[in-house]
Amino acid sequence: MGVRMEHGNPNSVEEFVEVEKQFLINVYRRQPVVLEYGWGARVVDINGKEYIDLVAGIAVNSIGHAHPTVVEAICNQAKKLIHTSNLYYTRPQINLAIKLKELTGMDRFFFCNSGTEAVEGALKFARKVTGKKNFIAFSGSFHGRSMGALSVTFPEKYRNPFLPLLEGVEFVEFNNPDNIISKINRDTAGIVVELVQGEGGVNVAEKDFVKALIDVRNDYDCLLIVDEVQTGFGRTGRWFAKDHFALKPDIITMAKAMGGGIPIGGIGVTEEVARVLTPGDHASTFGGNPFACSASLATIKVIEEEKLVEKAKVDGEYFMKSLKKLPVNEVRGLGMMIGVDVNNASEVVNEALKRGLLVNNTSNNTLRLVPPLVITRDEIDKAVEILGDIITGQ
Ligand SMILES: Cc1ncc(COP(=O)(O)O)c(C=O)c1O
């Protein structure tokens, strides 16, 4: 096949696959495509083939690829100061915290580099603040793969190879308000929940379930940790999924769309939680560096200027309505976070790639559609047409 390893410069998809086998650790299942550049909701591979992107880097590229506002902001920041550590103050970090307070209603913030790290920190904060040790999480949950975050992640196939994990985690059926009470106890530090489960197959929390969460939180004096890593920054048609429920959690976690593709995560807490935390309780060398924070500020500016939260709501409804006309098992979701149940999701994903559409599936035959929020109506129509053709065998 002639893989030119000595140059470190593979040229065909086959060569990339071969190089991956030799040089990368085999933990990802990748599609056979090498992406080179993109704009808006489009990406182009090394052969010049164009794709409509319904994956958006797994709900990250909400403002689309190569948005000029973010490109300019990060270029300007890179020329000034990329990193300083948290031994010093920088303008972008402070400005981001002030902006997030306005957007989330949470009081104070900690910055990290990913969703997993945000969840990990949230679990630590909950233990320190409550002095308790147990957690409640839910069937279908996904919160990351570090030892703490993995402990509250539901699928056994992810957890079992790494046991023992955190003690005292109980999984309760998602959307079943009666079940929480049976598992909660006086040593419960926190309840960790996604209000729209992403990896679990796009399951939207019901109002009575959320009410039950609030009730038990109040009765048992534990913390409610809402994981907004995937749902945050407009994805569901509100700035944060908690806003659909007028919910005020004790802690929220965020990441993914927060930096327009530059790695950044965050934890937002109430003043009561923040008050208990002291230097040394948690830290991150890279977390909140000026480069990542300026990317996040520019991303938020784009979301505001282009009214992408409202667009996610309106165009998400349009998208779902069109999908419901297809012969699929179920369409559900909130805003631009849409799950489509089909009979053989991985085959649909593979065929879609051939037809110029990037789609992703969760383990339970659900297509998870989380496109850039800037996707156009024409692109939505085209995506529905391609999916329809595949599903009806055309
Ligand atoms: C709800 C939720 N929490 C946490 C994570 C972990 O985030 P990351 O992959 O950035 O570590 C994810 C990732 O898919 C997620 O969807």
Side-chain angles (χ1 to χ4, degrees), residues 58 114-117 119 142-144 194 199 227 229-230 255-256:
I58 319 186
S114 69
T116 300
E117 282 178 58
V119 171
F142 186 90
H143 299 288
E194 296 155 89
E199 300 285 327
D227 184 344
V229 165
Q230 193 158 157
K256 288 200 185 272

Side-chain angles (χ1 to χ4, degrees), residues 311-340:
K311 185 175 180 309
K313 180 179 184 309
V314 175
D315 285 357
E317 280 165 11
Y318 174 82
F319 205 165
M320 267 200 272
K321 208 167 144 197
S322 307
L323 288 162
K324 281 181 178 164
K325 293 181 189 146
L326 302 181
V328 293
N329 300 333
E330 190 176 85
V331 177
R332 58 181 176 275
L334 201 56
M336 279 287 187
M337 194 166 170
I338 302 171
V340 183

Side-chain angles (χ1 to χ4, degrees), residues 1-12 15 19:
M1 183 167 34
V3 177
R4 280 169 291 148
M5 224 78 71
E6 65 278 18
H7 303 301
N9 188 21
N11 273 316
S12 64
E15 287 177 1
V19 174

Side-chain angles (χ1 to χ4, degrees), residues 359-379:
V359 206
N360 170 243
N361 63 301
T362 61
S363 45
N364 36 6
N365 267 333
T366 302
L367 302 173
R368 179 181 30 170
L369 314 185
V370 283
L373 305 182
V374 295
I375 191 169
T376 65
R377 288 275 171 120
D378 283 350
E379 287 164 339

